[in-house]
Amino acid sequence: MNAGESQRVPWIVGVSGASGTPYAAAVLRALLGAGESVDLVVSRASRLTLLDETQISFRDAHWQDDLREWLARGADGKPGTYDVDVTGVRYWSAGDLAAGPSSGSYRTKGMLIVPASTACVAGVALGLSKDLLQRAASVTLKERRTLVVAVRETPLNGQTLRHLVALDDAGATVVPASPAFYAGATHIQDLVDFVAGRVLDAAGVGHGLYRRWQGELGGGGAAS
């Protein structure tokens, strides 16, 4: 391990199978834009969602090319919208339970699960650790690190609500993927960026993804 690797302390970003891959893309772009290192875990189910929502096949052997193509797309699916340097990303296969994030001795700043499916929420709340995403989340909780869970489902049944309360009790922050409209959104990307920004707010990562409330009615409609 070189000196750069030993000093690297990443955020883990887990992408589960819920609809909402644009939320994950926006969070990843903002983390990289802020100079943060990222450890990425893409669940097996999320690959199907990514393929359905973007027509991109995420492959272990070609993950850098596939990630670059994914992050270059805006929420409207248009290719080449963003130019993203992915050299700050380290990818771990979801089936690799011997990966770095599976151990508490592996240093991280915390973990963001975006989007989080109800199945993922249940697995983390119950401590199932059936794949690396769930195991990394369990490690994050036991080490008392920041865990942000951006649940994306509607409606929510009682069982899922109880799982979310259990995560809150365990120290996680639950951020529903619920865009607001006071920031003056004029495009689907604005709504996506609002949710991504709130995820990053919960993690304490600086960004400029949305206009913050300043206590002035009508401020969201003002020109930037």
Side-chain angles (χ1 to χ4, degrees), residues 22-215:
Y23 293 129
V27 166
L28 287 165
R29 284 193 298 265
L31 285 172
L32 295 172
E36 299 284 352
S37 296
V38 173
D39 276 20
L40 177 63
V41 182
V42 178
S43 77
R44 297 177 72 176
S46 70
R47 295 174 190 235
L48 298 177
T49 307
L50 185 63
L51 180 62
D52 186 55
E53 294 184 345
T54 70
Q55 291 73 59
I56 295 172
S57 296
F58 197 91
R59 304 158 294 175
D60 284 353
H62 304 280
W63 70 266
Q64 286 179 308
D65 292 336
D66 297 337
L67 178 63
R68 192 177 295 108
E69 182 183 0
W70 175 27
L71 299 189
R73 297 192 180 211
D76 59 3
K78 183 179 179 181
T81 302
Y82 299 96
D83 182 15
V84 183
D85 181 359
V86 301
T87 56
V89 179
R90 184 172 185 178
Y91 171 72
W92 301 96
S93 172
D96 185 4
L97 291 176
S102 68
S103 172
S105 65
Y106 183 81
R107 297 172 63 220
T108 73
K109 293 182 178 179
M111 183 174 184
L112 316 176
I113 305 177
V114 53
S117 66
T118 54
C120 174
V121 166
V124 176
L126 297 174
L128 298 182
S129 296
K130 74 178 185 64
D131 62 8
L132 180 60
L133 194 158
Q134 292 184 13
R135 172 59 185 169
S138 295
V139 168
T140 300
L141 287 175
K142 81 180 183 68
E143 297 295 327
R144 302 296 191 265
R145 296 169 184 159
T146 297
L147 176 63
V148 182
V149 180
V151 61
R152 215 306 307 161
E153 185 61 87
T154 190
L156 296 172
N157 63 27
Q159 189 175 41
T160 297
L161 291 169
R162 285 188 286 273
H163 289 152
L164 291 172
V165 170
L167 289 178
D168 180 79
D169 288 343
T173 300
V174 176
V175 180
S178 303
F181 297 85
Y182 62 76
T186 59
H187 189 276
I188 186 174
Q189 189 66 55
D190 298 326
L191 299 175
V192 168
D193 284 348
F194 180 89
V195 172
R198 295 299 285 151
V199 170
L200 294 171
D201 286 346
V205 177
H207 65 86
L209 289 176
Y210 67 89
R211 182 188 293 114
R212 296 183 182 279
W213 177 250
Q214 299 296 329

